[in-house]
Amino acid sequence: MHFTLEDIAPMAVGAAVLGAGGGGDSYLTEGMLTETIKANGPIEILSVDALSPDAAVLPIALVGAPYVVNEMLVGKPMLETVLAYSTEGQGAPAAVVTIEMAGLNALLPLIAASQFGIPIVDADFTGRGVPSLEMTSFRLEGGYPEHQVLADPLGRGVRLTGSQDFSVEMLLRPLVNVMGSLTAYTMYPLRGGQLKDRSLSGTLTHCLEVGRVFQSMPGHTAAEVDEMLGTIAGLRIATGTVAERLPQSEISSSQVAIALEDDDYPERLTRIDTKDEFHLVTRDGELLATVPDLIVLVDSDTWIPLTVEQVGLGQRVTVIALPAHSRWRSARGVQLTGPQAFGYATDYVPFDHKSVQV
Amino acid sequence: MNEQSGKLHLGIACQGGTVQLALVNAAGTLLTSAVLPRMQSFAEDLDGALRDAPRALRAIMIATDSFRDALNGTSQLARVAALRIGGPVSTGVPVLASWPESLIHRISPITEIVNGVTNESGEELVPFDEIAATRFFERCAGLVDAVAISSVFGPLAPDHERRAAAIAADVLGDRMPVTMSHSVAGFGLLDRENAAILSAALTPLAADMLRETDAALARYGLEAEVFLAQNDGTLAVLDLAVATPIRLLEGAAAAGIFGAGLLAGAKNAVVTSDGLARTGVLRDGYVVMTAAPTWVAGARMNVELPVGTGAAAPPHLLASNNGARVSIATNRSSTDALQGAEVAAAFGLTLAPVGATAWIVSERDDSEHFRLLHAEQQVIEMAIIAGADPATVAVSDVDSIGISHSAKRQVRIRATGRPMFVSRADRAAIDPLTSYPLTD
């Protein structure tokens, strides 16, 4: 199986959906991926099972603030530095694997795979947008990276060895900030065997599938959209016009509650609690959906998925819920990525166990 | 000139297939209105609008959708030299990435990425390669009609763009229109760069509009001040507005939203057209703008446009935003409140404030208060340069959106004021930059 030019658009849409408001704007990496594939040809997609247990795999993610990426974009030197610092002349990795299948982080590993001329693995460690490197299936299964590398846009790199017992996030975030809030990150090497145990398999092709569903929504009736969403277990749970963006924290300016006024029942208020991603959906005091399930806001006129920053006052939006990967819906998964992990005093509410459709 | 006629304002909204005219007195009362069919060119539309206008108009406010239509059309636009200052970092996505081939063809672009990077703190990471920029502009000589310049974090630190603009003027001459990305939009390099290129591609059309307006004023012996409607429905003096036509794409639609609110006496409203399509939203008397990227002619940009625009029809119906729909019939005799609905845009123009908007990035630290005050002062000065009366201009709205994975937030500051009425001849004698220096 190969990733071709035709897959870029659905991949970008799928990545925006799986971003659940976060993950940055995949549009930026679309152009870059197009150029790379035009130059280097299609990218081979490998299933996790096709990897030999000792194959060295290079995970890739951007770590930083999306708005810095929006300005600096991403250049080849950054990825080359990651590769050079990781392999230290030991030869090319067997494949690239995505760390976070969301936003531009879903597309960047494809660019890396194309640039390095190696396959990409059909897997990742989150299956959705997450705010922290701690919230991965790699960590869920108790894994610690042997080596970690950060590279900045000017090709300056930092290599960390033996980070066991340190919180990856606490160790790396200050470095990321010092390096200008835009770095490419890897934990290398991961072995094929580790991937089998600790990754979420099939998420790249799932991202493509989700993207194709959302791409085909414009122009369809609500009933038809519901049917299309049904094929990926998604549900429309609210619709309305953004009436308020209320700051929820003095410290974090991205922590806001978005209030939606229902178009047909104006007395019905829907609230979406947000910090870097969309976390909770509440209507008139009742929780409709929570993390780790995916809460996706799309523009009601165009069905284009929106990042947290793109949801503005007066905009008509539709809220769609999609189930998180089954590993996140387990008790341990919820502990790591459920509402309480984000500081909300509420339990996980699986949206599809309720009757909440619009 | 008698006292009364000297305070008349004429609104001219060229939108869709019609030209709306609204003549308003100093009290804001609609005196006369008309709807004329749209002609082949702006010059003809303007001539038709001014032919029977009172000779002693104080101000003419114009809105037009012709810039948007020009981008969405098929005809050739200005040939653009597009320079990005961002190497060796911001090279992964080429200039004009993801543009439709047909649009690229219409601007016959010459593009280049030269070295020069500023970081998120506004510090220079990589010096601007002036020699490479000079060579690029030399290569463009005789092949382009306009220049667009973009740079990393340009809105935060525009120095690289300004130096490049000076080089462009040296190499290509003072008359070459140069659009700097920080003057058209906020953060997001690709989207801002696209906006600058699109704006540059429209500059000859905008220059024509300026020339044709001057000619029409002279033809009819008018000494009125002329304003153009911007995308958010606020006005800017003609000479300034034509420098960045990308900010005028939806001026007519925004004027219609604003005017519909005035006619209905509503500061908060959802404005709809023909009972179906939503054409806009008013909040606290201002046209609500998109937070998401916008698209024109298949290119993505970050110039804010009114929420809900896309349907170009003038507003006939209004619904209050408390959800209880207030039907306002298209038949103007059915309700006094909406008399004049068919010239809502032209009417809105005559009473719109002059406005300027800027985005800054701020952090909640000890010096934030002073940083915001400084920015507000700059936006106030921008509004004065745009033609606002200094005695009335004030910050009218401050909106912020938190930045993900950062303690910072983007703050949008808008300043508005009543138009200052200086005749075009007198205004030409004022150099706004020396009269109202920017606190740089």
Side-chain angles (χ1 to χ4, degrees):
Chain A
M1 190 166 38
H2 284 82
F3 188 96
T4 67
L5 279 175
E6 285 68 41
D7 294 323
I8 295 174
M11 186 71 193
V13 174
V17 171
L18 299 183
D25 188 345
S26 50
Y27 172 78
L28 295 173
T29 33
E30 267 184 86
M32 196 172 169
L33 184 55
T34 306
E35 296 298 313
T36 321
I37 293 183
K38 272 183 188 167
N40 302 332
I43 304 160
E44 186 183 357
I45 302 175
L46 285 183
S47 76
V48 173
D49 292 334
L51 286 167
S52 71
D54 58 348
V57 180
L58 182 75
I60 291 275
L62 277 185
V63 180
Y67 102 104
V68 179
V69 188
N70 289 351
E71 279 295 327
M72 294 246 184
L73 313 180
V74 180
K76 286 184 180 175
M78 207 161 156
L79 294 172
E80 278 161 8
T81 308
V82 165
L83 183 67
Y85 273 64
S86 300
T87 56
E88 290 189 317
Q90 299 292 307
V96 168
V97 68
T98 307
I99 293 178
E100 179 193 25
M101 194 64 72
L104 45 85
N105 264 340
L107 274 73
L108 187 75
L110 287 158
I111 295 167
S114 175
Q115 193 173 317
F116 303 152
I118 54 179
I120 188 150
V121 183
D122 185 7
D124 82 321
F125 299 96
T126 66
R128 54 155 297 148
V130 296
S132 158
L133 290 166
E134 303 293 337
M135 293 180 169
T136 61
S137 57
F138 186 76
R139 290 289 293 116
L140 182 72
E141 304 302 335
Y144 289 97
E146 286 172 47
H147 305 285
Q148 300 175 84
V149 172
L150 287 171
D152 82 356
L154 287 176
R156 296 175 296 198
V158 174
R159 188 165 192 263
L160 298 163
T161 300
S163 64
Q164 233 160 6
D165 301 333
F166 279 114
S167 150
V168 175
E169 193 64 27
M170 286 175 72
L171 194 64
L172 294 185
R173 264 309 152 181
L175 272 175
V176 171
N177 291 341
V178 169
M179 294 172 86
S181 298
L182 172 57
T183 58
Y185 169 80
T186 189
M187 39 188 184
Y188 185 80
L190 282 191
R191 299 291 169 191
Q194 290 175 299
L195 238 64
K196 283 191 182 68
D197 300 336
R198 293 173 182 159
S199 70
L200 309 178
S201 179
T203 49
L204 194 155
T205 40
H206 177 64
C207 182
L208 277 168
E209 183 192 5
V210 168
R212 289 200 180 97
V213 169
F214 275 75
Q215 259 190 322
S216 56
M217 283 180 187
H220 286 275
T221 63
E224 288 165 345
V225 164
D226 289 342
E227 198 172 315
M228 295 154 93
L229 281 173
T231 63
I232 49 173
L235 209 57
R236 283 187 311 129
I237 59 172
T239 178
T241 300
V242 178
E244 294 288 351
R245 279 182 68 106
L246 301 164
Q248 298 295 298
S249 162
E250 276 295 309
I251 303 157
S252 163
S253 45
S254 62
Q255 196 168 345
V256 292
I258 295 165
L260 292 189
E261 206 172 74
D262 193 294
D263 289 342
D264 298 319
Y265 308 97
E267 69 285 357
R268 195 158 81 170
L269 276 182
T270 304
R271 170 185 165 127
I272 300 134
D273 279 277
T274 294
K275 183 178 183 267
D276 302 328
E277 297 90 28
F278 304 117
H279 289 162
L280 308 178
V281 184
T282 320
R283 182 155 62 220
D284 296 338
E286 184 195 5
L287 266 176
L288 302 185
T290 72
V291 276
D293 287 334
L294 290 94
I295 295 160
V296 184
L297 267 69
V298 299
D299 183 303
S300 293
D301 297 323
T302 61
W303 296 96
I304 292 175
L306 302 166
T307 66
V308 168
E309 287 136 321
Q310 291 171 350
V311 180
L313 294 176
Q315 194 160 18
R316 288 185 64 234
V317 298
T318 297
V319 185
I320 293 168
L322 296 167
H325 192 279
S326 56
R327 272 207 227 183
W328 292 132
R329 296 183 124 200
S330 69
R332 281 177 57 222
V334 167
Q335 198 179 4
L336 189 62
T337 60
Q340 291 172 17
F342 292 93
Y344 301 102
T346 179
D347 292 327
Y348 167 54
V349 175
F351 72 92
D352 43 0
H353 292 190
K354 302 167 71 90
S355 176
V356 295
Q357 190 156 3
V358 174
Chain B
M1 177 197 309
N2 67 46
E3 185 64 19
Q4 190 58 37
S5 64
K7 289 185 178 170
L8 296 179
H9 297 176
L10 177 65
I12 305 172
C14 308
Q15 188 181 21
T18 62
V19 179
Q20 302 173 17
L21 303 178
L23 189 67
V24 171
N25 68 12
T29 307
L30 182 62
L31 301 178
T32 58
S33 65
V35 179
L36 308 176
R38 193 92 174 257
M39 308 304 278
Q40 292 299 312
S41 68
F42 173 74
E44 290 171 87
D45 288 337
L46 187 63
D47 189 79
L50 296 181
R51 195 175 300 136
D52 300 321
R55 292 305 83 147
L57 285 175
R58 183 166 65 169
I60 299 169
M61 286 85 167
I62 301 171
T64 177
D65 58 12
S66 53
F67 293 112
R68 189 197 62 196
D69 288 352
L71 289 179
N72 285 331
T74 53
S75 57
Q76 201 64 19
L77 299 161
R79 299 168 300 169
V80 179
L83 176 72
R84 179 193 297 168
I85 307 163
V89 169
S90 309
T91 55
V93 189
V95 181
L96 305 172
S98 310
W99 280 41
E101 281 299 324
S102 57
L103 183 61
I104 293 175
H105 182 70
R106 289 166 61 212
I107 64 164
S108 313
I110 306 178
T111 68
E112 180 79 71
I113 301 176
V114 300
N115 280 1
V117 179
T118 304
N119 72 9
E120 60 162 341
S121 307
E123 297 153 355
E124 187 178 77
L125 275 185
V126 178
F128 169 40
D129 188 343
E130 296 195 351
I131 294 168
T134 306
R135 284 200 196 113
F136 169 68
F137 289 129
E138 283 168 354
R139 184 155 64 87
C140 296
L143 301 173
V144 298
D145 309 306
V147 171
I149 298 167
S150 58
S151 71
V152 179
F153 282 111
L156 192 66
D159 179 56
H160 286 175
E161 291 189 4
R162 287 182 182 151
R163 280 159 58 196
I167 294 171
D170 277 350
V171 176
L172 299 169
D174 285 344
R175 297 173 66 86
M176 175 65 67
V178 176
T179 306
M180 292 180 281
S181 80
H182 76 270
S183 67
V184 295
F187 294 94
L189 175 60
L190 273 192
D191 292 338
R192 185 176 67 249
E193 176 178 272
N194 287 347
I197 297 169
L198 291 168
S199 197
L202 292 169
T203 44
L205 194 64
D208 287 347
M209 182 175 283
L210 181 63
R211 205 167 34 248
E212 288 158 5
T213 305
D214 278 336
L217 292 182
R219 192 157 58 243
Y220 293 110
L222 297 169
E223 291 186 354
E225 174 70 287
V226 182
F227 295 90
L228 282 184
Q230 307 179 95
N231 290 327
D232 68 352
T234 64
L235 305 172
V237 285
L238 177 67
D239 303 65
L240 183 80
V242 293
T244 49
I246 198 76
R247 290 158 68 163
L248 309 173
L249 297 185
E250 294 287 7
I257 299 163
F258 184 73
L262 286 178
L263 289 169
K267 287 200 157 188
N268 294 289
V270 175
V271 179
T272 63
S273 159
D274 298 329
L276 294 171
R278 193 178 68 148
T279 58
V281 181
L282 266 183
R283 190 182 171 87
D284 298 331
Y286 288 101
V287 177
V288 174
M289 309 296 277
T290 51
T294 47
W295 295 81
V296 60
R300 203 177 94 153
M301 59 175 193
N302 59 349
V303 173
E304 293 178 284
L305 297 177
V307 162
T309 46
H316 292 312
L317 291 166
L318 274 170
S320 74
N321 76 339
N322 63 10
R325 284 176 195 280
V326 182
S327 175
I328 293 168
T330 52
N331 179 354
R332 52 190 276 193
S333 65
S334 68
T335 163
D336 290 340
L338 269 200
Q339 188 150 21
E342 73 286 355
V343 290
F347 177 63
L349 282 171
T350 62
L351 296 174
V354 169
T357 301
W359 283 98
I360 64 158
V361 168
S362 191
E363 197 165 359
R364 292 181 197 274
D365 58 17
D366 291 345
S367 52
E368 175 167 53
H369 177 68
F370 298 101
R371 198 160 44 239
L372 286 178
L373 274 183
H374 178 73
E376 288 182 5
Q377 190 56 37
Q378 283 197 312
V379 182
I380 282 174
E381 285 161 7
M382 285 164 63
I384 293 170
I385 291 169
D389 181 347
T392 63
V393 68
V395 170
S396 52
D397 126 70
V398 178
D399 188 19
S400 73
I401 287 194
I403 296 171
S404 294
H405 300 280
S406 165
K408 297 178 181 181
R409 59 193 181 120
Q410 290 190 48
V411 184
R412 184 181 61 187
I413 301 167
R414 174 158 47 193
T416 52
R418 287 195 200 134
M420 186 166 68
F421 304 107
V422 181
S423 75
R424 282 187 47 71
D426 288 345
R427 187 174 287 281
I430 302 174
D431 179 351
L433 291 175
T434 53
S435 303
Y436 310 107
L438 276 173
T439 51
D440 220 343

